[in-house]
Amino acid sequence: MSDAEKQPNIVFILADDLGWADLSVYGQTQYQTPHLDALAAGGVRFTQAYANSAVCSATRFGLITGRYQYRLRGGLEEPLVRTAHLHGLPTDHPTLPSLLRDAGYETALIGKWHLGNLPNYGPLKSGYNRFFGNYGGAIDYFTHKPGVGAAVPRDLYEGEVPVERVGYYTQLLADEASSWIAQQAEEKPFFLSLHFTAPHWPWVGPEDEHVSRDLTDLFHYDGGNLHTYAKMVRSLDAAVGQVVQALKAKGVFDNTIVIFTSDNGGERFSKTWPFTGQKTELLEGGIRVPTLLSWPARLQPQVSEQVTITMDWLPTLLSAAGTAPHPDYPSDGENILPVLQGQAPVHERRLFWRYKAQRQRAAREGRFKYLRINDNEFLFDVEDDTLERANLKDQHPAVFARLRQAWEDWNAQFLPITDEVFTHGVTPDIQADRYAPERANRGL
């Protein structure tokens, strides 16, 4: 059977808090990312790819369900850690891995879950046959703990059983993924979600174990620098190269769809030029993400200007596998495979975002983007004005009014954000917003 007749394998690689220009193929000049650059050269590099949210777990709800995350209580806001024992991905909701498993795929998640904690939620309850990784949002790269101190348990699991490993987490995930790929049967396609925590804080490089020992707070405001961040991204790049090599060694690279993207924009050390904004912000730097796709058997190398968003991957990958979303849970995303295969032209999209809806909301249609930050409203041409500096709402009042109303109509379909979302089950120390100081400095 030729590659064109076989179901493709799928490896979905998700970086954590990676900025738009943190890869050299997207504009980084202070260091190189040769493995990801090679993936881009042989595949599709997207120039207008967006994350479903400006924060982690919300985007992951969009990815795994193929729908706007605001349909589910767990997807409303961040950080989910506040109520992860109460709210998460419902186990009866069809997911990308469960639908692929039903289509004959072996499925695994290696890395970050962040969609609800045990005992109520978890990867093995939502379509994955195997899981190795962390349930929460962030862990130290060497201690594998979500906090500091001897009494803090490790957030590292094999399935639903805590385990211990020695090593830098990015490398551990690459080793686990490479080993799992090598073990897969030739006659059955596989779907691997490889969700790194890099380059999410704490700011620790692969040779910085001493930094982990000295930390008093994983979010350390007084830590990190551009040099350390570069080491973290280069380690991520090498890990991706290792996984690609594992696919080639097994002889399945050509008929494997490899996707690399980020869950949201970058944080304090990221490069987001030519955009402004960062994680937690609906400016382009907070939601526009580097995105690469490789499928040598079926797709020609290209640079795609198609506007796309995280939730598009569910219908796109299901289509490539010869199946479709569950009819009772239609995707809010779109199958972009015909565009990539040259069977359909690039077309306009209308996409929406909200983040603490009273504070930030956004809508994009064609070249225009409606943005509200607190009580300030804007209309930007994000194709010509990538820095979002020229407010065009008075020059194009009809476009401004249309997108403003479109956002209201869209928002009315989803679960509201109430005070309970931020306070239910929250202790005062957890309720404190870690990002408040940085947002305050940016006027948000």
Side-chain angles (χ1 to χ4, degrees):
M1 184 182 297
S2 68
D3 282 349
E5 299 171 303
K6 294 179 182 177
Q7 289 175 300
N9 303 305
I10 302 168
V11 177
F12 195 99
I13 305 174
L14 191 62
D16 199 343
D17 294 1
L18 187 74
W20 171 259
D22 282 341
L23 308 183
S24 44
V25 71
Y26 276 93
Q28 179 58 253
T29 57
Q30 299 304 307
Y31 57 85
Q32 298 297 306
T33 51
H35 302 288
L36 286 161
D37 294 357
L39 199 67
V44 183
R45 179 170 65 86
F46 292 86
T47 63
Q48 300 196 76
Y50 287 94
N52 257 60
S53 176
V55 286
C56 300
S57 59
T59 291
R60 292 163 199 271
F61 274 95
L63 170 62
I64 203 167
T65 67
R67 314 178 90 203
Y68 278 114
Q69 59 272 23
Y70 316 111
R71 296 186 181 277
L72 297 172
R73 171 62 180 81
L76 289 183
E77 285 297 333
E78 179 89 1
L80 183 62
V81 67
R82 294 170 175 172
T83 54
H85 60 297
L86 299 174
H87 306 294
L89 177 63
T91 57
D92 60 349
H93 196 299
T95 63
L96 179 56
S98 73
L99 293 165
L100 286 171
R101 187 177 63 184
D102 292 346
Y105 278 70
E106 185 64 27
T107 62
L109 168 61
I110 295 176
K112 178 174 172 175
W113 167 246
H114 207 198
L115 294 172
N117 287 350
L118 294 171
N120 298 319
Y121 311 103
L124 302 186
K125 304 177 192 299
S126 290
Y128 290 108
N129 293 332
R130 195 218 166 186
F131 170 61
F132 172 85
N134 60 303
Y135 277 87
I139 61 174
D140 181 80
Y141 286 86
F142 285 99
T143 68
H144 313 139
K145 294 182 177 184
V148 296
V152 178
R154 289 177 177 83
D155 182 9
L156 187 61
Y157 286 77
E158 178 73 54
E160 298 182 352
V161 179
V163 295
E164 293 190 17
R165 294 286 192 277
V166 175
Y168 188 68
Y169 194 43
T170 303
Q171 186 59 51
L172 289 180
L173 297 181
D175 291 344
E176 289 285 338
S178 301
S179 176
W180 187 84
I181 289 170
Q183 295 168 15
Q184 297 313 296
E186 299 288 344
E187 65 275 6
K188 188 174 185 179
F190 60 81
F191 169 57
L192 170 62
S193 294
L194 177 55
H195 294 182
F196 290 98
T197 59
H200 193 292
W201 51 263
W203 317 113
V204 178
E207 295 86 32
D208 298 337
E209 188 170 1
H210 63 285
V211 175
S212 293
R213 291 196 301 267
D214 296 338
L215 285 180
T216 57
D217 179 2
L218 293 193
F219 195 71
H220 51 152
Y221 282 105
D222 58 346
N225 51 55
L226 290 174
H227 178 66
T228 297
Y229 188 78
K231 291 190 294 183
M232 296 171 73
V233 177
R234 289 201 303 267
S235 176
L236 172 65
D237 177 68
V240 172
Q242 178 179 328
V243 172
V244 168
Q245 184 55 44
L247 294 169
K248 291 180 177 178
K250 194 171 180 64
V252 298
F253 177 73
D254 284 355
N255 197 37
T256 297
I257 299 174
V258 179
I259 295 167
F260 177 88
T261 187
S262 180
D263 58 354
N264 47 248
E267 247 197 278
R268 68 185 75 171
F269 300 116
S270 294
K271 182 177 181 180
T272 60
W273 186 265
F275 309 119
T276 190
Q278 63 179 23
K279 178 180 179 178
T280 75
E281 300 172 8
L282 297 186
L283 292 157
E284 291 292 283
I287 54 177
R288 187 96 68 109
V289 287
T291 301
L292 309 173
L293 185 155
S294 171
W295 191 11
R298 298 289 295 274
L299 294 179
Q300 295 295 316
Q302 59 189 279
V303 176
S304 176
E305 296 181 354
Q306 177 61 59
V307 174
T308 187
I309 192 169
T310 310
M311 61 189 177
D312 290 343
W313 293 118
L314 182 140
T316 299
L317 295 175
L318 292 181
S319 175
T323 187
H326 192 290
D328 295 338
Y329 298 83
S331 177
D332 294 317
E334 183 174 302
N335 174 18
I336 61 171
L337 200 56
V339 174
L340 302 181
Q341 293 177 325
Q343 300 169 3
V346 172
H347 60 284
E348 290 189 355
R349 302 285 301 279
R350 180 183 275 186
L351 301 174
F352 301 92
W353 296 265
R354 71 185 195 190
Y355 182 67
K356 300 186 178 178
Q358 317 91 306
R359 181 176 289 171
Q360 295 185 67
R361 54 187 69 177
R364 176 164 177 182
E365 180 184 73
R367 64 192 306 119
F368 288 107
K369 176 181 173 183
Y370 164 73
L371 178 66
R372 175 176 170 177
I373 302 176
N374 294 326
D375 295 326
N376 303 304
E377 294 182 294
F378 309 89
L379 181 71
F380 296 118
D381 180 339
V382 291
E383 292 187 7
D384 280 349
D385 177 24
T386 57
L387 283 174
E388 295 173 281
R389 289 292 188 261
N391 190 359
L392 305 178
K393 70 175 185 177
D394 294 331
Q395 294 185 36
H396 299 281
V399 176
F400 174 77
R402 183 176 73 246
L403 286 181
R404 185 187 195 192
Q405 187 59 50
W407 189 93
E408 296 286 355
D409 295 342
W410 166 83
N411 185 57
Q413 306 172 53
F414 301 104
L415 296 174
I417 298 178
T418 63
D419 291 342
E420 178 271 340
V421 172
F422 302 108
T423 60
H424 184 69
V426 181
T427 58
D429 59 322
I430 297 176
Q431 189 174 343
D433 188 342
R434 291 182 180 274
Y435 296 100
E438 291 196 9
R439 276 205 298 267
N441 288 338
R442 302 172 69 82
L444 294 170

